[in-house]
């Protein structure tokens, strides 16, 4: 559905995307996981044709590069910044984007009602977006991305600034979209989200893909062992272990230990082992 | 196409909901034009002083004195002209509202009112300023009457005049007997009254109107005249074009920001990601700007025509003026929109430059009141050409070929700016 090959982009001397290659198959939910400034949004902007890569190629389905409007028609994007018109109502925003994509009136009306229902904004449909909370705008931002029922949905941090309840609603929506056949590229720096939602994850840092694959493969590959947290009065020590029972016994034998905790490996661990840094730094 | 229209309608809707922007595009220009119309009306026009072009064909002592006295009147300012044609041309060209031609023999008639020939004037009035006719007629009659009264109030001179009149009547052969008798009786009665120490006509100015009805000391005939020059008759003819450019300025300021605000909002990302080209986006913005600019100009025109007595000399030229102004300022707005990268920066710089150009172009001090060097300097402002085009249609009575200059300049500005804007926007490395 989407193919990026050796894509590079620099802003002046700063290399934002550095030889990124990635293929997303039809029907996947691909996680795009990386810390701030990793180059996720830049990649998305290139995929939707808002800027051209300095080098490399991008193909969307069988429609070629994003410079082709027919290729862009297949994509729906929910930008990281809330791209909504705050002086228009939720319904007007959706209707407008529907017109831009050339949907006819009855189709727009049907789709508006349906989406407003799905994002839980039916009762606020005719209020100015200016009066919405951040979470409500975030949901509308997503709904506008899928108004024209795109085959490929690009979500740039769709849960930023959203409360746990809205977050669950967004997860549901993404899953529904996927069930209906849409391919999703889900950008986030919350590893739990990627872990819960995505069939595959690509880990990106400094504009490169460090590794990608199904979540459990990545964990097995990079974080096979368990993690033992040893608490003592000066703080906490973190040990990666292939034989947790032995290391645990050893740790407990140390003097001054106040507690121990064992975690299974997760994407955080994968990231840590790939970069030597924590994702949230 | 549907997308272009959708974006344009969305922009207009957003504009209507932006109270400040909407105010500066619609209400402010209207208020400006109306308010300054009234202000200029009080100071510059109105019948406070009527300029009269005078040609004196008599050149007698009496006529020269008469002109001096006319000039000394508060409501009248006299300018002497060398020929009848020059005086009439001044009115025809719109430089003077009235011309007064003093006929040969005026002095003699004034000095000898009883000879039966009254002193004669011919007069021409600018048809578009017909209201001055009453003033000119009234003042001239009154003054002529007064001049005669001054002669009458002097008994010695009056006695001489009566004797002179008697002699004239007696020596005239072809006068009909009844009239001769009447005149003799009148002159005898007058002489008796003078001898009794009174005057037959009194000397007060109050006698002017009544005396004029019974006895016309002077006759005035009016020369019909058609105006050839500009017909600047009301201050609203000046302030309506100004209102237009303030509205256009509002459009440029508003739509010049439209790309920047979409950029900062992030909505440009959506438009850029949609299956439309950049050209569509720019077209939509230009369309919205054009619709608003046209709409507001037409609205202002309707207001000024309906309520403030502005009547374009040529509706066809008016159409050209509005269309070309719209084209030019849509172009400028789009160029500004493409140039602007950040909301604050472009707002500040763009508005400052535009404001200066608008003022220079005649948005503040009207173009017609500027010294000529300033009018020349104003040519660098597109606003000047817009004002000139509208004035050309309203009161300057431009012919189609005279319209060609302002309309052509505006069209060139419009096409040039739009071309440049679309090239620059097409080359813009990123929309996000
Ligand atoms: N318009 C720009 N001009 C210059 N540099 C930019 C621009 N946009 C992004 N960058 C730089 O490019 C790099 C990648 O930015 P990008 O926005 O793609 O990161 P991201 O992965 O989306 O980060 P985040 O999680 O914070 O959204 C960053 O170092 C950023 O500073
Ligand atoms: Mg980002």
């Amino acid at each position: 559905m989407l193919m990026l090959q050796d894509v590079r982009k620099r802003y002046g001397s700063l290399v934002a995307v550095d030889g990124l290659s990635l293929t997303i198959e039809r029907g996947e939910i691909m996680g795009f996981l990386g810390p701030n400034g990793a180059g996720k949004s830049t990649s998305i902007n290139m995929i939707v044709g808002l800027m051209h890569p300095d080098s490399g190629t991008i193909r969307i389905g069988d429609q070629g590069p994003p410079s082709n409007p027919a290729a862009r028609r297949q994509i729906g994007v929910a930008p990281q910044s809330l791209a909504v018109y705050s002086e228009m109502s939720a319904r007007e925003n959706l209707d407008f984007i529907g017109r831009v994509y050339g949907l006819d009136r009855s189709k727009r009306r049907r789709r508006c009602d349906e989406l407003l229902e799905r994002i839980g904004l039916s009762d606020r449909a005719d209020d100015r977006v200016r009066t919405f909370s951040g979470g409500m705008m975030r949901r509308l931002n997503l709904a506008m991305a899928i108004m024209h029922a795109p085959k490929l949905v690009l979500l740039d941090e769709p849960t930023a600034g959203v409360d746990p309840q809205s977050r669950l609603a967004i997860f549901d929506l993404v899953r529904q979209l996927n069930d209906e056949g849409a391919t999703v590229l889900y950008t986030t720096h919350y590893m739990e989200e990627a872990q819960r939602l995505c069939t595959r994850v690509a880990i990106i840092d400094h504009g490169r893909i460090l590794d990608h694959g199904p979540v459990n493969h990545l964990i097995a590959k990079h974080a096979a062992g368990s993690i033992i947290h040893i608490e003592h009065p000066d703080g906490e020590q973190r040990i990666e272990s292939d034989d947790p029972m032995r290391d645990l016994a050893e740790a407990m034998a140390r003097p001054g230990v106040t507690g121990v905790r064992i975690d299974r490996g997760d994407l955080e661990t994968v990231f840590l082992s790939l970069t030597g840094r924590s994702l949230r730094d | 196409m549907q997308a272009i229209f959708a974006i344009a309608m969305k922009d207009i809707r957003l504009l209507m909901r932006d109270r400040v922007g909407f105010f500066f595009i619609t209400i402010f220009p209207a208020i400006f034009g109306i308010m300054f119309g009234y202000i200029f009306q009080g100071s510059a026009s109105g019948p406070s002083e009527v300029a009269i072009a005078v040609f004196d064909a008599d050149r007698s002592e009496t006529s020269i004195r008469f002109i001096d006295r006319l000039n000394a009147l508060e409501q009248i300012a006299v300018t002497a002209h060398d020929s009848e044609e020059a005086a009439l041309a001044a009115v025809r060209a719109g430089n003077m509202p009235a011309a007064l031609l003093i006929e040969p023999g005026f002095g003699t008639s004034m000095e000898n009112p009883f000879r039966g020939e009254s002193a004669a004037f011919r007069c021409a009035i600018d048809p578009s300023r017909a209201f001055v006719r009453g003033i000119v007629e009234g003042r001239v009659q009154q003054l002529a009457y007064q001049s005669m009264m001054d002669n009458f109030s002097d008994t010695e001179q009056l006695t001489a005049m009566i004797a002179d009149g008697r002699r004239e009547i007696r020596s005239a052969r072809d006068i009909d007997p009844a009239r001769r008798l009447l005149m003799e009786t009148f002159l005898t009665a007058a002489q008796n009254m003078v001898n009794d120490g009174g005057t037959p006509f009194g000397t007060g100015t109050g006698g002017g109107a009544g005396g004029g009805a019974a006895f016309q000391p002077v006759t005035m005939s009016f020369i019909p005249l058609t105006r050839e020059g500009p017909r600047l008759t009301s201050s609203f003819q000046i302030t309506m074009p100004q209102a237009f450019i303030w509205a256009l300025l509002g459009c440029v300021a508003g739509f010049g920001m439209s790309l920047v605000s979409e950029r900062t909002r992030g909505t440009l990302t959506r438009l850029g990601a949609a299956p439309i080209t950049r050209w569509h986006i720019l077209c939509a913005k230009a369309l919205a700007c054009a619709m608003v600019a046209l709409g507001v100009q037409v609205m202002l025109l309707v207001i000024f025509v309906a309520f403030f007595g502005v009547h374009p000399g040529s509706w066809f030229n008016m159409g050209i003026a509005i269309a070309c102004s719209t084209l030019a300022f849509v172009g400028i707005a789009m160029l500004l929109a493409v140039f602007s990268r950040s909301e604050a920066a472009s707002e500040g710089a763009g508005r400052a430059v535009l404001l200066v150009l608008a003022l220079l172009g005649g948005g503040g001090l009207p173009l017609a009141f500027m010294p000529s060097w300033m009018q020349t300097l104003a040519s660098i402002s597109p606003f000047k050409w817009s004002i000139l085009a509208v004035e050309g249609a309203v009161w300057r009575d431009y012919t189609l070929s005279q319209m060609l200059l302002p309309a052509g300049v505006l069209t060139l500005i419009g096409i040039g700016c739009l071309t440049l804007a679309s090239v620059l926007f097409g080359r813009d490395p990123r929309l996000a």
Side-chain angles (χ1 to χ4, degrees), chain A residues 36-37 39-42 80 156-157 187:
Chain A
N36 291 140
K40 307 184 293 292
S41 297
T42 304
Q80 182 173 1
D156 198 347
E157 311 213 1
T187 299

Side-chain angles (χ1 to χ4, degrees), chain A residues 176-193:
Chain A
Q176 277 175 30
L177 280 175
N178 187 239
D179 290 345
E180 288 159 13
T183 308
V184 180
L185 178 64
Y186 190 99
T187 299
T188 182
H189 51 250
Y190 295 115
M191 50 144 196
E192 322 81 85
E193 290 186 0

Side-chain angles (χ1 to χ4, degrees), chain B residues 340-363:
Chain B
S340 309
R341 277 260 151 218
S342 84
E343 205 149 3
S346 50
E347 221 177 308
R351 291 216 171 138
V353 171
L354 283 167
L355 195 63
V356 169
L357 285 177
L359 288 171
L360 182 64

Side-chain angles (χ1 to χ4, degrees), chain B residues 171-188:
Chain B
S171 60
R173 307 206 159 197
D174 51 351
I175 199 161
D176 99 74
R179 192 151 178 220
R180 187 188 301 244
L181 186 65
L182 197 68
M183 291 297 275
E184 290 266 18
T185 317
F186 171 76
L187 289 174
T188 310

Side-chain angles (χ1 to χ4, degrees), chain B residues 291-326:
Chain B
M291 293 201 311
V292 172
L294 274 178
V296 176
Q297 288 179 93
V298 168
M299 175 200 85
L300 289 170
L301 185 63
V302 167
I303 291 177
F304 278 89
V305 167
F307 302 112
F308 298 97
V310 174
H311 293 292
S314 159
W315 285 99
F316 182 72
N317 285 353
M318 194 72 216
I320 293 182
I322 289 181
C324 292
S325 297
T326 302

Side-chain angles (χ1 to χ4, degrees), chain A residues 28-61:
Chain A
E28 273 193 298
I29 302 182
M30 170 67 112
F32 210 36
L33 185 66
N36 291 140
K40 307 184 293 292
S41 297
T42 304
S43 304
I44 287 194
N45 285 339
M46 288 189 289
I47 294 169
V48 296
L50 290 167
M51 51 177 92
H52 292 294
D54 296 337
S55 66
T57 50
I58 301 175
R59 311 222 148 264
I60 290 142

